[in-house]
């Protein structure tokens, strides 16, 4: 098990980021999706927890066939997705990832938001107890991101908000900028497979760090798009974007319903442990069906999905 605590400061207030986070996640998921790969939203509905109160439960399927390194693609089948479940009790959230193909692999993320510059060293003392963890600060303005994701328009060093006047974020901005908030994320990665544990856990943390950096940069760079939105407006944007994203990756589920109507209290709390990661290409030889094995006559040879171009004809 490898645990790290990430701290990402933003030139926003916690209340402002509540809208910005929802907007960023929806838009980013849509941009990163293409036919066969991307983020399918399965459910997004109110959820009430006996400990944390009213919140929102979101379940997604993340298809990432081409995102794995070559050594991982060698053992991961093509038809493969990660299930993401998130319980949002803002300013506290729980996110976990699961995958039936890799049951010994888990990712668990707890997030807390505070209006400070990352100075609360005991924010996760209750959750982490006496477990040793590395604290990693992520600077949205100064830290390098993978070159393929870089856009000058989303670089906080050069971006200046027309609506808020915030930006350009120069070196040392976290010491002087007002307002300022911090996303504290306690990330636990487990891969209990002898011989691969360290390599996989380190790789996943690198991926998580890159995603956190990119996402928070975008949330600020898109501030003029979401700054004047109400919660109802951002939920409607979320619903419309999710349906468009599902169609974009070639999935046509029933229309997604997002509601703010309170639901009956549940006696089940959000899980305290989490699960899995990404997908890949062709299945390895040991997972393929032997050619000489007769196929059941009742099973279709192929599965044909509806063509989005012809759906409305």
């Amino acid at each position: 098990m490898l645990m790290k605590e990430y701290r990402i400061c933003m030139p926003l207030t916690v209340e402002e980021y509540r809208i910005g986070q929802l907007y960023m996640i929806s838009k980013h998921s849509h941009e990163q999706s293409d036919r066969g790969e991307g983020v399918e939203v399965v459910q997004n509905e109110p959820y009430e927890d006996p400990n944390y109160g009213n919140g929102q439960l979101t379940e997604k399927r993340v298809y990432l066939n081409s995102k794995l390194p070559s050594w991982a693609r060698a053992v991961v089948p093509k038809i493969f997705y990660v299930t993401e479940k998130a319980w949002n009790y803002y300013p506290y959230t729980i996110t976990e990832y699961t995958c039936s193909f890799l049951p010994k692999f888990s990712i668990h993320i707890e997030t807390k938001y505070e209006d400070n510059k990352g100075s609360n060293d005991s924010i996760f003392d209750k959750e982490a107890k006496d477990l040793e963890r590395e604290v990693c600060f992520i600077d949205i303005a100064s830290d390098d991101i993978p070159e393929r994701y870089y856009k000058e328009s989303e670089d906080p060093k050069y971006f200046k908000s027309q609506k808020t006047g915030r930006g350009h974020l120069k070196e040392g901005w976290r010491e002087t900028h007002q307002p300022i908030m911090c996303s504290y994320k306690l990330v636990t990665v487990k891969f209990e497979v002898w011989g691969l544990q360290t390599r996989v856990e380190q790789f996943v943390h690198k991926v998580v760090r890159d995603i956190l950096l990119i996402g928070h940069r975008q949330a600020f760079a898109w501030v003029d798009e979401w700054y004047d939105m109400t919660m109802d407006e951002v939920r409607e944007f979320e619903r419309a974007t999710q349906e468009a994203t599902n169609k974009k990756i070639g999935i046509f589920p029933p229309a997604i319903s997002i509601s703010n109507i309170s639901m009956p209290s549940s006696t089940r709390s959000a899980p305290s442990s989490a699960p899995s990661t990404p997908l890949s290409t062709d299945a390895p030889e040991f997972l393929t069906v032997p050619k000489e094995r007769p196929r059941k006559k009742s099973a279709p040879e192929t599965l044909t999905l509806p063509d989005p171009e012809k759906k409305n004809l």
Side-chain angles (χ1 to χ4, degrees):
M1 180 179 72
L2 183 57
M3 177 186 293
K4 292 187 179 184
E5 180 185 320
Y6 297 93
R7 301 181 187 180
I8 313 103
C9 290
M10 297 283 285
L12 303 166
T13 67
V14 168
E15 189 59 32
E16 289 170 343
Y17 188 62
R18 185 176 191 178
I19 301 292
Q21 177 200 42
L22 296 174
Y23 182 92
M24 176 271 292
I25 291 172
S26 293
K27 182 175 177 178
H28 177 85
S29 295
H30 186 72
E31 285 191 348
Q32 295 300 311
S33 298
D34 203 350
R35 188 162 188 85
E37 291 198 340
V39 182
E40 173 199 2
V41 180
V42 178
Q43 73 177 115
N44 189 354
E45 60 188 34
Y47 184 88
E48 187 173 329
D49 184 272
N51 296 319
Y52 304 116
N54 294 327
Q56 195 84 3
L57 168 62
T58 306
E59 180 178 348
K60 302 176 182 178
R61 291 177 179 176
V62 185
Y63 300 85
L64 298 169
N65 290 353
S66 66
K67 307 299 183 183
L68 290 181
S70 57
W71 58 266
R73 289 199 299 268
V75 294
V76 178
K78 186 174 183 179
I79 304 174
F80 183 56
Y81 61 83
V82 176
T83 297
E84 174 194 291
K85 283 192 174 183
W87 292 262
N88 188 343
Y89 311 103
Y90 200 87
Y92 174 65
T93 65
I94 301 169
T95 308
E96 59 179 39
Y97 298 87
T98 60
C99 174
S100 59
F101 183 73
L102 298 172
K104 294 184 179 294
F105 183 30
S106 67
I107 305 173
H108 183 71
I109 303 174
E110 295 192 49
T111 305
K112 294 184 179 181
Y113 305 95
E114 288 190 348
D115 286 312
N116 56 51
K117 57 184 179 180
S119 53
N120 188 346
D121 292 328
S122 58
I123 192 167
F124 286 118
D125 278 1
K126 180 180 178 181
E127 291 79 2
K129 297 185 174 70
D130 297 325
L131 295 176
E132 187 174 331
R133 64 188 184 274
E134 178 184 355
V135 175
C136 305
F137 280 87
I138 297 177
D139 191 325
I140 65 170
S142 302
D143 289 358
D144 293 331
I145 67 170
E147 186 176 352
R148 64 185 180 280
Y149 295 118
Y150 179 82
K151 295 181 182 178
E152 185 173 332
S153 62
E154 297 175 358
D155 190 332
K157 293 192 299 294
Y158 306 118
F159 170 77
K160 186 175 180 67
S161 168
Q162 298 300 311
K163 291 185 177 180
T164 68
R166 301 171 201 171
H168 314 277
L169 301 184
K170 302 302 182 183
E171 186 174 352
W173 69 273
R174 291 182 300 175
E175 300 302 319
T176 59
H177 196 284
Q178 290 294 331
I180 191 167
M181 60 156 285
C182 184
S183 297
Y184 294 84
K185 292 184 175 287
L186 185 65
V187 181
T188 304
V189 178
K190 294 181 182 179
F191 189 62
E192 298 170 344
V193 176
W194 186 85
L196 291 175
Q197 181 171 0
T198 300
R199 186 178 186 182
V200 171
E201 290 178 352
Q202 289 177 344
F203 167 74
V204 173
H205 268 288
K206 180 182 184 304
V207 172
V208 167
R209 186 189 180 283
D210 287 344
I211 291 173
L212 293 177
L213 176 56
I214 294 165
H216 284 76
R217 283 166 64 102
Q218 290 178 329
F220 176 55
W222 296 339
V223 63
D224 289 343
E225 300 176 27
W226 59 259
Y227 191 73
D228 295 327
M229 281 186 168
T230 64
M231 180 58 70
D232 287 341
E233 288 171 339
V234 79
R235 286 297 185 193
E236 173 57 26
F237 172 81
E238 192 178 38
R239 183 200 63 76
T241 305
Q242 287 168 359
E243 288 188 2
T245 303
N246 285 0
K247 292 180 180 180
K248 189 176 180 183
I249 64 176
I251 297 168
F252 301 95
I256 299 167
S257 174
I258 300 177
S259 169
N260 289 318
I261 299 174
S262 60
M263 298 182 70
S265 177
S266 171
T267 58
R268 180 176 63 87
S269 298
S272 60
S273 61
S276 292
T277 343
L279 342 178
S280 182
T281 57
D282 295 330
E285 184 177 348
F286 67 84
L287 289 172
T288 57
V289 178
K291 294 182 180 180
E292 58 274 14
R293 178 192 295 178
R295 300 175 67 90
K296 290 184 179 181
K297 298 301 182 181
S298 59
E301 292 295 321
T302 60
L303 175 63
T304 303
L305 294 176
D307 188 332
E309 301 297 331
K310 298 179 179 180
K311 186 180 178 190
N312 297 318
L313 296 180

